[in-house]
């Protein structure tokens, strides 16, 4: 199939055309990106440098923190830089790479969240067999399967876009290259392509959300047989997972499970799964998690104490 295009770059409209709003957004999203990097790196280092890394839940959490950093870094630095310039351009090649990277890391994150839900389900529903079921080799397989799933999904989305003809106009009503805005500026009828995108991304988001929701219903049903202390501990952990799932999947389902068109609200909803959710994940997983807070204190306080001792 011959790929025809007469443009070498796209013009992004961004979040706003008002200079004072751009300045505020620059400061706000710069803070958000710094918080994402610091928070997720804090979790990642704290888990890797403590005994928590040997526990399946925290093993998956460390990978989730890595994906949060990679995923948001596909969009946020470009968004922050564009807020300082009047005309926001992105080359055709970088646009296609951004679509691929977003769907690659986003799909890996979805599958790791699914693995974390499976881990909690086994820990609560099959406590006596938990360590056998969630062995380290099986955890490795689940993470590798997430990477393979991410590559398969992103390649399918990439192939739908790469051979679309773009003849002009080249203006995209978004702050990054997303599939539906790109379909809108293509030179051919993209109805079938749009339906395939909905069948791919939209159904994946919906089915995964239903599976996750179902797993937590099973967990809540099983907790009836636990003591009050056991219920409180399990509910505290599951509440963190459910909050992350809602923050990520709610806007994602709105963005992709619908007729293939664009709405002004798309940019606001996209902020939730590209910036807001990755920023709140470290807070959600640490503030309600006693083991995580103890590990962070142990890792960072010991390092500070040893440095003072050496000095």
């Amino acid at each position: 199939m011959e790929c025809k295009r007469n443009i070498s770059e796209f013009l992004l409209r961004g979040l706003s055309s008002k200079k004072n709003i751009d300045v505020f957004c620059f400061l706000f999203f710069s803070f958000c990106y710094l918080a994402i990097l610091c928070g997720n790196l804090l979790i990642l280092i704290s888990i890797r440098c403590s005994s928590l890394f040997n526990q399946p839940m925290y093993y998956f959490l460390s990978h989730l923190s890595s994906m949060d950093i990679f995923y948001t870094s596909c969009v946020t630095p470009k968004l922050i830089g564009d807020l300082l310039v009047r005309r926001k351009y992105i080359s055709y090649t970088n646009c296609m790479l951004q679509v691929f990277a977003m769907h690659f890391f986003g799909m890996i994150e979805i599958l790791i969240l699914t693995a974390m839900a499976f881990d909690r389900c086994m820990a609560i529903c099959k406590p006596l067999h938990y360590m056998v079921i969630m062995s380290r080799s099986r955890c490795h397989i689940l993470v590798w399967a997430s990477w393979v799933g991410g590559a398969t999904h992103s390649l399918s989305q990439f192939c739908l876009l790469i051979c679309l003809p773009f003849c002009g106009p080249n203006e995209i009503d978004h702050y990054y290259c997303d599939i539906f805005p790109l379909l809108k500026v293509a030179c051919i009828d993209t109805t079938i392509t749009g339906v395939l995108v909905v069948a791919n991304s939209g159904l994946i988001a919906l089915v995964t959300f239903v599976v996750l929701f179902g797993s937590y219903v099973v967990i809540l049903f099983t907790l009836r047989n636990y003591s009050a202390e056991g219920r409180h501990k399990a509910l505290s952990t599951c509440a963190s997972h459910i909050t992350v799932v809602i923050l990520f999947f709610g806007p994602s389902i709105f963005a992709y499970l619908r007729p293939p068109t664009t709405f002004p609200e798309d940019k606001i909803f996209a902020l939730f799964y590209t910036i807001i959710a990755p920023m709140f994940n470290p807070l959600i997983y640490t503030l309600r998690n006693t083991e995580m807070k103890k590990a962070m204190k142990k890792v960072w306080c010991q390092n500070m104490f040893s440095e003072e001792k050496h000095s």
Side-chain angles (χ1 to χ4, degrees):
M1 183 176 178
E2 187 181 358
C3 305
K4 296 179 180 180
R5 57 183 174 87
N6 298 327
I7 60 173
S8 59
E9 60 186 8
F10 294 102
L11 176 64
L12 301 172
R13 287 188 186 174
L15 290 172
S16 170
S17 58
K18 297 180 180 178
K19 187 65 180 173
N20 56 342
I21 294 178
D22 280 352
V23 171
F24 169 77
C25 288
F26 171 78
L27 296 173
F28 177 70
F29 291 123
S30 295
F31 168 78
C32 289
Y33 187 54
L34 186 63
I36 290 168
L37 293 179
C38 293
N40 284 290
L41 282 172
L42 183 66
I43 286 181
L44 188 58
I45 295 169
S46 298
I47 292 175
R48 291 294 178 114
C49 297
S50 70
S51 58
L52 289 182
F53 189 62
N54 297 320
Q55 298 182 34
M57 185 180 82
Y58 296 102
Y59 172 77
F60 291 129
L61 181 55
S62 68
H63 284 280
L64 183 69
S65 294
S66 302
M67 289 307 108
D68 275 338
I69 293 171
F70 294 144
Y71 181 65
T72 196
S73 294
C74 298
V75 172
T76 312
K78 170 69 176 164
L79 168 63
I80 293 170
D82 283 346
L83 290 167
L84 298 176
V85 297
R86 191 170 64 89
R87 297 180 72 81
K88 306 160 178 58
Y89 287 106
I90 183 170
S91 69
Y92 174 85
T93 302
N94 287 342
C95 184
M96 294 299 113
L97 285 174
Q98 192 176 60
V99 171
F100 178 84
M102 283 288 292
H103 283 268
F104 178 60
F105 293 119
M107 189 63 198
I108 293 173
E109 186 159 347
I110 285 173
L111 293 173
I112 288 176
L113 284 170
T114 307
M116 291 175 75
F118 176 71
D119 169 71
R120 288 301 83 202
C121 199
M122 291 301 101
I124 292 168
C125 301
K126 301 281 187 181
L128 298 178
H129 304 95
Y130 172 65
M131 292 312 297
V132 176
I133 296 171
M134 298 304 297
S135 62
R136 182 43 60 102
S137 60
R138 188 157 293 172
C139 291
H140 288 323
I141 290 170
L142 288 172
V143 169
W144 278 111
S146 300
W147 280 78
V148 172
T152 304
H153 168 71
S154 56
L155 278 171
S156 66
Q157 301 292 72
F158 182 76
C159 290
L160 289 174
L161 287 178
I162 194 64
C163 283
L164 286 178
F166 295 99
C167 318
N170 66 337
E171 193 172 340
I172 298 175
D173 187 17
H174 217 303
Y175 62 88
Y176 72 95
C177 285
D178 201 8
I179 294 178
F180 286 158
L182 284 168
L183 294 182
K184 193 174 181 180
V185 298
C187 297
I188 59 170
D189 181 14
T190 57
T191 304
I192 295 176
T193 306
V195 170
L196 290 173
V197 170
V198 171
N200 190 335
S201 295
L203 284 179
I204 284 174
L206 180 64
V207 170
T208 308
F209 180 76
V210 170
V211 169
L212 291 173
F213 183 78
S215 70
Y216 289 117
V217 169
V218 171
I219 287 171
L220 292 174
F221 184 78
T222 307
L223 285 176
R224 295 183 312 160
N225 304 320
Y226 275 56
S227 64
E229 185 182 352
R231 274 199 303 269
H232 180 267
K233 185 177 179 182
L235 283 172
S236 179
T237 304
C238 290
S240 302
H241 291 217
I242 292 168
T243 306
V244 170
V245 166
I246 292 171
L247 269 176
F248 188 84
F249 280 93
S252 299
I253 290 171
F254 172 83
Y256 292 106
L257 193 67
R258 66 173 201 216
T261 185
T262 58
F263 298 106
E265 297 82 8
D266 287 349
K267 289 183 270 191
I268 304 301
F269 278 93
L271 288 173
F272 277 90
Y273 56 81
T274 57
I275 298 175
I276 304 301
M279 182 177 68
F280 279 107
N281 281 0
L283 289 173
I284 292 167
Y285 281 115
T286 54
L287 290 180
R288 296 179 62 87
N289 193 313
T290 307
E291 285 184 319
M292 192 70 228
K293 286 189 279 189
K294 284 181 181 177
M296 289 167 67
K297 276 184 184 178
K298 189 175 181 181
V299 170
W300 296 102
C301 291
Q302 275 186 354
N303 287 341
M304 289 173 64
F305 179 74
S306 60
E307 284 179 7
E308 287 178 4
K309 192 174 180 181
H310 285 303
S311 61

